[in-house]
Amino acid sequence: MTPVDRKASPGDTGPTTNPTPNEVPYPERDRDHHRWLDATQQEAWRSLVALLFRMPGALDTHCLGSVGLTHFASAILCTLSTAPEQSMRQIDITTALDASPSRVSHTMVVLEGRGLTVRRPHRNRGSVVTLTSRGAALLEQAAPAYSRVARSLVLDGLSEAQTTEVAELFGALATRPQLRPTNPGERRRTVATHGPLL
């Protein structure tokens, strides 16, 4: 029911209207907590979200077709290839890729089964993962395919100027503290508070 204006009686110091909270414009009520997106920002945000949803499946399709691995498994090999002595603690791989420990462990079983990585205990806690010569050879073999994937999915549709803009844009986004990798402890606390991440 919408409140009706009434005339003030003598000595009445109250308001002439009695609006309910829902009648106060939302941005006005929460001015300090909400900054609405303008049309351009909405378009940019929706395009980015759409890209984030589509890209993993497209990458998996291309990577499975070229090297028989998911993009995530390929990312683990690439991460190891740039590490000192091509070795990393498994927990550091988890942090670098912002993945759950269970996902990394499951993928390690696949990689080890194909002889692409080996694991050894690390000071009685966790393990160290090393890229094998077979894994390095697969990465070298896959390099042309990865270039084709990058061009097919993104780069061939952009001009040189747009490519530079994309590099600057995502470089800036990647350094935002809000997008830092989630360490396993933070992930466990999130799951404990909100339940499993679906």
Side-chain angles (χ1 to χ4, degrees):
M1 180 179 296
T2 303
V4 179
D5 289 348
R6 60 180 176 83
K7 295 182 180 181
S9 58
D12 188 353
T13 59
T16 58
T17 60
N18 185 28
T20 63
N22 289 335
E23 290 180 290
V24 180
Y26 194 70
E28 191 72 20
R29 286 186 287 124
D30 293 326
R31 181 180 298 170
D32 294 335
H33 302 287
H34 296 276
R35 290 167 55 195
W36 296 98
L37 304 181
D38 61 30
T40 301
Q41 290 171 328
Q42 287 187 31
E43 182 179 357
W45 176 246
R46 289 170 181 167
S47 297
L48 176 59
V49 170
L51 178 64
L52 292 176
F53 274 112
R54 295 173 188 170
M55 188 63 75
L59 288 172
D60 277 347
T61 298
H62 282 76
C63 289
L64 285 167
S66 59
V67 296
L69 292 174
T70 64
H71 179 250
F72 183 72
S74 302
I76 289 178
L77 297 184
C78 290
T79 301
L80 287 170
S81 71
T82 59
E85 299 181 356
Q86 297 188 323
S87 297
M88 290 179 69
R89 293 189 306 162
Q90 185 167 313
I91 191 172
D92 292 334
I93 296 174
T94 298
T95 300
L97 297 179
D98 197 15
S100 67
S102 60
R103 185 183 186 189
V104 173
S105 294
H106 173 76
T107 307
M108 286 301 176
V109 172
V110 175
L111 295 176
E112 284 186 296
R114 292 184 55 175
L116 304 177
T117 61
V118 294
R119 282 187 288 184
R120 64 179 188 277
H122 176 67
R123 299 175 185 173
N124 299 320
R125 184 177 182 181
S127 59
V128 169
V129 183
T130 300
L131 183 70
T132 65
S133 57
R134 186 173 181 177
L138 180 66
L139 279 179
E140 184 175 355
Q141 170 193 335
Y146 285 135
S147 295
R148 286 195 299 272
V149 169
R151 290 187 176 281
S152 173
L153 294 181
V154 179
L155 300 177
D156 281 348
L158 301 177
S159 66
E160 184 175 349
Q162 288 174 322
T163 300
T164 299
E165 291 176 357
V166 167
E168 293 175 350
L169 169 64
F170 286 104
L173 289 175
T175 60
R176 288 178 62 82
Q178 297 92 330
L179 295 176
R180 75 189 191 286
T182 306
N183 65 49
E186 289 177 317
R187 188 178 294 272
R188 283 193 296 271
R189 286 191 292 273
T190 299
V191 171
T193 303
H194 302 287
L197 304 179
L198 301 178

